[in-house]
Amino acid sequence: MATTRTATTQWKGALLDGSGTVSLDSSGVGTFDVSWPSRAEQANGKTSPEELIAAAHSSCFSMALSNGLAKAGTPPQSLETRADVTFQPGEGITGIVISVRGQVPGISAEDFQQAAEGAKANCPVSKALTGTTITLNAELVG
């Protein structure tokens, strides 16, 4: 069964001095302020498209890795995934770094790395972002 998720942005003004809000309509969990300075300079309490992509990518990757590990018979105790999305004004998104730390009993560091590479290649958000370089750092802990 396919699902559709919806967000809506209301924007007023020109790019450099305008501002807006983005609402997460499907979940209803909130509305967040956005502006050019929050995207290209300091966040100052506002979000950006890149931060929203980072949230989507880190959560999608974690779900994909958790699923792959469980299917291999080594479900994780915990995964902590960080996505750093770099935006360069005038160029766009220039790269994404996914960093994951996992507690996975009964798995080798090599097998964890291989599972993380599989999640990076196959999570739907990674697939949607194939136009950008995605780098992976995977660390098995405890």
Side-chain angles (χ1 to χ4, degrees):
M1 171 190 328
T3 59
T4 300
R5 299 294 181 250
T6 305
T8 303
T9 298
Q10 299 291 327
W11 187 266
K12 294 187 178 170
L15 175 62
L16 298 180
D17 61 357
S19 64
T21 58
V22 59
S23 63
L24 305 182
D25 300 336
S26 302
S27 63
V29 297
T31 298
F32 305 93
D33 294 331
V34 294
S35 69
W36 177 254
S38 69
R39 185 177 195 185
E41 298 165 16
Q42 295 298 316
N44 292 323
K46 297 177 182 176
T47 194
S48 67
E50 291 73 27
E51 184 176 36
L52 297 169
I53 289 170
H57 205 176
S58 66
S59 60
C60 182
F61 175 91
S62 292
M63 290 178 191
L65 180 54
S66 175
N67 185 49
L69 290 166
K71 283 184 174 180
T74 53
Q77 280 184 339
S78 67
L79 298 172
E80 180 180 306
T81 305
R82 174 183 172 133
D84 295 302
V85 177
T86 302
F87 173 74
Q88 177 64 46
E91 289 182 50
I93 294 174
T94 58
I96 299 172
V97 176
I98 298 283
S99 299
V100 61
R101 293 179 47 140
Q103 289 186 308
V104 187
I107 194 171
S108 69
E110 179 180 278
D111 287 343
F112 181 72
Q113 180 71 37
Q114 190 172 45
E117 291 288 349
K120 176 188 147 209
N122 294 306
C123 99
V125 173
S126 288
K127 288 182 175 185
L129 298 171
T130 56
T132 248
T133 301
I134 302 170
T135 305
L136 174 66
N137 301 312
E139 178 185 358
L140 184 63
V141 296

